[in-house]
Amino acid sequence: MISKKVQTILIHFLIYSTAISTSWIAFNMCNSYSFLTKLFIANLFGSLLIYLNCIIFDSFSINDPNWTIQSSVYSIYYLIESKNYCFKSIMVFILVNIWSIRLTYNLYSTAVHGIKDEDWRFSDLRPKWKPKIVYFILGFFGILFLPFVLTFFGCIPLYYIFKSSENIEITECLGLFLMLIGILIEAISDYQLSNEFEMAKKEKRVRFMRKGLWSQSRHPNYFGEILYWFGLFITSKPSLAHNFPIDYLKLSSFVFGPVGIFLMIYFISMPLMEERQLKKKPELYKKYISEVPFKILPLNFLFSKSKSNKKNFKNK
């Protein structure tokens, strides 16, 4: 007997395989457009197919892995288009796909259960976005289209990185370093959180993470995510300068990727997460906020040290 989780993964695999294939067909049919326009239109077709399945199965969680899978797909398109398999291109391609595969694996190992099961971020919106038709219309723009656009713009640097045949520069090294550190921080944060959930389940207690990186910042996983996207942008900057005269429209689209992702995380994802924690564990989370005042930057060791010094001074 196939478990509910395995059934869900198989259905997701079928949905995303169909969406990627549809995108490829659409891409090859849009010959009169520029490469980037073709890529946008083609992947929008694929996302619309995923959206249709969200309606059929009555769950926006089907769209959850979309932006990580999209990033990997974009990297393949850009690398094939550039035909530039230099060290820098291969390094960036590997990092993008490590980030994509790890996040997708983490999602399926921790958050995916049944095909109709919906993440709390989406199910909490249902009472606010009534009736169901309103939920799916608003959900298209807020849950599907916004991340789609941010991911598209966030991945545009790949086109210019892969097109560049220049030797790797210091700025690009910094970008690669930030991408790698971002991936590691996000992976460690997710591992520590998952481990806490397992321990809490075994010990039959309230699950609450405030150790490791979570003792330095309330959202270290998001810090890693932001580092990754800004690292990708920074890696593209020399390539951007070498490949064409400054075009402010293109430059703004580069900035829109990482900055837009940061704004979405800071003003949407984090407040939703904190509001949920304050509802479920009010006293515990209020205490956590007082102990760890840093939302993103993992700098609580400075705050703790300062607090400790003040305490020691008072005791003298």
Short mmCIF file of all heavy atoms in Angstrom, two decimals, residues 2-17 104-105 107-110 112-115:
data_model
loop_
_atom_site.label_atom_id
_atom_site.label_comp_id
_atom_site.label_asym_id
_atom_site.label_seq_id
_atom_site.Cartn_x
_atom_site.Cartn_y
_atom_site.Cartn_z
N ILE A 2 0.66 2.15 -0.98
CA ILE A 2 1.45 3.37 -1.07
C ILE A 2 0.93 4.38 -0.05
O ILE A 2 -0.27 4.61 0.07
CB ILE A 2 1.36 3.99 -2.49
CG1 ILE A 2 1.88 2.99 -3.53
CG2 ILE A 2 2.15 5.27 -2.58
CD1 ILE A 2 1.72 3.45 -4.95
N SER A 3 1.84 4.96 0.71
CA SER A 3 1.44 5.92 1.74
C SER A 3 0.90 7.19 1.12
O SER A 3 1.14 7.50 -0.06
CB SER A 3 2.64 6.25 2.64
OG SER A 3 3.59 7.00 1.91
N LYS A 4 0.20 7.96 1.93
CA LYS A 4 -0.40 9.23 1.51
C LYS A 4 0.69 10.20 1.02
O LYS A 4 0.51 10.89 0.01
CB LYS A 4 -1.16 9.82 2.69
CG LYS A 4 -2.04 11.01 2.38
CD LYS A 4 -2.75 11.44 3.66
CE LYS A 4 -3.57 12.70 3.43
NZ LYS A 4 -4.20 13.15 4.69
N LYS A 5 1.79 10.24 1.72
CA LYS A 5 2.90 11.14 1.39
C LYS A 5 3.51 10.78 0.03
O LYS A 5 3.76 11.65 -0.80
CB LYS A 5 3.97 11.09 2.48
CG LYS A 5 5.06 12.14 2.33
CD LYS A 5 6.10 11.96 3.42
CE LYS A 5 7.15 13.05 3.38
NZ LYS A 5 6.72 14.30 4.01
N VAL A 6 3.76 9.48 -0.19
CA VAL A 6 4.34 9.02 -1.46
C VAL A 6 3.39 9.32 -2.61
O VAL A 6 3.82 9.76 -3.69
CB VAL A 6 4.69 7.52 -1.39
CG1 VAL A 6 5.13 7.01 -2.76
CG2 VAL A 6 5.79 7.27 -0.37
N GLN A 7 2.10 9.09 -2.40
CA GLN A 7 1.10 9.41 -3.43
C GLN A 7 1.17 10.89 -3.80
O GLN A 7 1.13 11.25 -4.99
CB GLN A 7 -0.31 9.08 -2.91
CG GLN A 7 -0.64 7.60 -2.87
CD GLN A 7 -2.03 7.34 -2.29
OE1 GLN A 7 -2.81 8.26 -2.09
NE2 GLN A 7 -2.31 6.09 -2.01
N THR A 8 1.28 11.73 -2.79
CA THR A 8 1.35 13.19 -3.00
C THR A 8 2.59 13.56 -3.81
O THR A 8 2.52 14.36 -4.75
CB THR A 8 1.36 13.93 -1.65
OG1 THR A 8 0.19 13.57 -0.92
CG2 THR A 8 1.39 15.44 -1.86
N ILE A 9 3.72 12.97 -3.45
CA ILE A 9 4.98 13.26 -4.15
C ILE A 9 4.88 12.83 -5.61
O ILE A 9 5.33 13.55 -6.51
CB ILE A 9 6.17 12.58 -3.44
CG1 ILE A 9 6.41 13.25 -2.07
CG2 ILE A 9 7.43 12.64 -4.30
CD1 ILE A 9 7.42 12.52 -1.20
N LEU A 10 4.28 11.67 -5.86
CA LEU A 10 4.12 11.18 -7.24
C LEU A 10 3.20 12.10 -8.06
O LEU A 10 3.48 12.38 -9.23
CB LEU A 10 3.56 9.75 -7.23
CG LEU A 10 4.52 8.66 -6.74
CD1 LEU A 10 3.79 7.32 -6.62
CD2 LEU A 10 5.73 8.51 -7.66
N ILE A 11 2.12 12.57 -7.44
CA ILE A 11 1.21 13.50 -8.13
C ILE A 11 1.93 14.81 -8.42
O ILE A 11 1.82 15.37 -9.52
CB ILE A 11 -0.07 13.74 -7.30
CG1 ILE A 11 -0.90 12.47 -7.20
CG2 ILE A 11 -0.92 14.87 -7.91
CD1 ILE A 11 -2.03 12.52 -6.19
N HIS A 12 2.68 15.31 -7.45
CA HIS A 12 3.47 16.53 -7.64
C HIS A 12 4.47 16.35 -8.78
O HIS A 12 4.66 17.26 -9.60
CB HIS A 12 4.21 16.90 -6.35
CG HIS A 12 3.37 17.65 -5.37
ND1 HIS A 12 3.88 18.61 -4.52
CD2 HIS A 12 2.04 17.59 -5.10
CE1 HIS A 12 2.92 19.10 -3.78
NE2 HIS A 12 1.78 18.48 -4.10
N PHE A 13 5.11 15.19 -8.80
CA PHE A 13 6.10 14.91 -9.86
C PHE A 13 5.44 14.97 -11.24
O PHE A 13 5.99 15.55 -12.18
CB PHE A 13 6.73 13.53 -9.63
CG PHE A 13 7.73 13.15 -10.70
CD1 PHE A 13 9.01 13.67 -10.69
CD2 PHE A 13 7.36 12.27 -11.72
CE1 PHE A 13 9.93 13.33 -11.69
CE2 PHE A 13 8.26 11.93 -12.72
CZ PHE A 13 9.55 12.46 -12.69
N LEU A 14 4.24 14.38 -11.34
CA LEU A 14 3.51 14.39 -12.60
C LEU A 14 3.11 15.81 -12.99
O LEU A 14 3.25 16.22 -14.15
CB LEU A 14 2.26 13.51 -12.47
CG LEU A 14 1.39 13.36 -13.73
CD1 LEU A 14 2.17 12.71 -14.86
CD2 LEU A 14 0.14 12.54 -13.40
N ILE A 15 2.63 16.59 -12.01
CA ILE A 15 2.21 17.97 -12.27
C ILE A 15 3.38 18.82 -12.75
O ILE A 15 3.28 19.54 -13.76
CB ILE A 15 1.59 18.60 -11.00
CG1 ILE A 15 0.23 17.94 -10.67
CG2 ILE A 15 1.41 20.12 -11.16
CD1 ILE A 15 -0.31 18.30 -9.30
N TYR A 16 4.51 18.73 -12.04
CA TYR A 16 5.66 19.58 -12.38
C TYR A 16 6.36 19.11 -13.66
O TYR A 16 6.87 19.94 -14.42
CB TYR A 16 6.64 19.65 -11.20
CG TYR A 16 6.20 20.69 -10.19
CD1 TYR A 16 5.35 20.35 -9.14
CD2 TYR A 16 6.59 22.01 -10.32
CE1 TYR A 16 4.91 21.31 -8.25
CE2 TYR A 16 6.17 22.98 -9.42
CZ TYR A 16 5.33 22.62 -8.38
OH TYR A 16 4.89 23.58 -7.50
N SER A 17 6.35 17.82 -13.92
CA SER A 17 6.91 17.31 -15.18
C SER A 17 6.10 17.84 -16.36
O SER A 17 6.67 18.27 -17.38
CB SER A 17 6.90 15.78 -15.20
OG SER A 17 7.70 15.26 -14.18
N THR A 104 13.95 22.04 -1.93
CA THR A 104 12.85 21.19 -2.40
C THR A 104 12.78 19.91 -1.56
O THR A 104 11.70 19.48 -1.15
CB THR A 104 13.04 20.84 -3.89
OG1 THR A 104 13.18 22.04 -4.65
CG2 THR A 104 11.83 20.07 -4.42
N TYR A 105 13.94 19.32 -1.28
CA TYR A 105 13.98 18.12 -0.44
C TYR A 105 13.46 18.43 0.97
O TYR A 105 12.68 17.66 1.54
CB TYR A 105 15.41 17.58 -0.35
CG TYR A 105 15.57 16.48 0.66
CD1 TYR A 105 15.15 15.18 0.38
CD2 TYR A 105 16.10 16.73 1.93
CE1 TYR A 105 15.25 14.17 1.32
CE2 TYR A 105 16.21 15.73 2.88
CZ TYR A 105 15.78 14.45 2.57
OH TYR A 105 15.89 13.46 3.52
N LEU A 107 11.38 20.71 1.87
CA LEU A 107 9.93 20.91 1.79
C LEU A 107 9.20 19.56 1.80
O LEU A 107 8.26 19.36 2.58
CB LEU A 107 9.57 21.69 0.53
CG LEU A 107 8.08 21.84 0.23
CD1 LEU A 107 7.42 22.79 1.23
CD2 LEU A 107 7.87 22.35 -1.19
N TYR A 108 9.64 18.63 0.94
CA TYR A 108 8.96 17.35 0.84
C TYR A 108 9.19 16.45 2.05
O TYR A 108 8.35 15.61 2.37
CB TYR A 108 9.37 16.64 -0.45
CG TYR A 108 8.64 17.17 -1.66
CD1 TYR A 108 9.27 18.03 -2.56
CD2 TYR A 108 7.31 16.85 -1.91
CE1 TYR A 108 8.59 18.55 -3.66
CE2 TYR A 108 6.63 17.36 -2.99
CZ TYR A 108 7.27 18.21 -3.87
OH TYR A 108 6.59 18.72 -4.94
N SER A 109 10.30 16.63 2.73
CA SER A 109 10.58 15.79 3.89
C SER A 109 9.89 16.28 5.16
O SER A 109 9.66 15.51 6.09
CB SER A 109 12.10 15.69 4.13
OG SER A 109 12.63 16.97 4.41
N THR A 110 9.55 17.56 5.20
CA THR A 110 8.98 18.12 6.43
C THR A 110 7.55 18.65 6.30
O THR A 110 6.76 18.56 7.24
CB THR A 110 9.85 19.28 6.97
OG1 THR A 110 9.92 20.32 5.97
CG2 THR A 110 11.26 18.80 7.28
N VAL A 112 5.26 18.40 3.28
CA VAL A 112 4.30 17.78 2.36
C VAL A 112 3.74 16.50 2.97
O VAL A 112 4.50 15.61 3.38
CB VAL A 112 4.96 17.48 0.99
CG1 VAL A 112 4.02 16.67 0.10
CG2 VAL A 112 5.34 18.79 0.30
N HIS A 113 2.41 16.41 3.02
CA HIS A 113 1.76 15.22 3.58
C HIS A 113 0.75 14.66 2.58
O HIS A 113 1.05 13.75 1.84
CB HIS A 113 1.10 15.57 4.91
CG HIS A 113 2.05 16.15 5.91
ND1 HIS A 113 3.05 15.41 6.51
CD2 HIS A 113 2.19 17.42 6.38
CE1 HIS A 113 3.76 16.19 7.32
NE2 HIS A 113 3.27 17.41 7.26
N GLY A 114 -0.45 15.22 2.55
CA GLY A 114 -1.46 14.78 1.59
C GLY A 114 -1.65 15.79 0.48
O GLY A 114 -1.34 16.97 0.65
N ILE A 115 -2.18 15.35 -0.65
CA ILE A 115 -2.34 16.22 -1.81
C ILE A 115 -3.30 17.39 -1.52
O ILE A 115 -3.13 18.49 -2.06
CB ILE A 115 -2.83 15.42 -3.05
CG1 ILE A 115 -2.75 16.28 -4.32
CG2 ILE A 115 -4.24 14.88 -2.84
CD1 ILE A 115 -1.39 16.68 -4.75
#
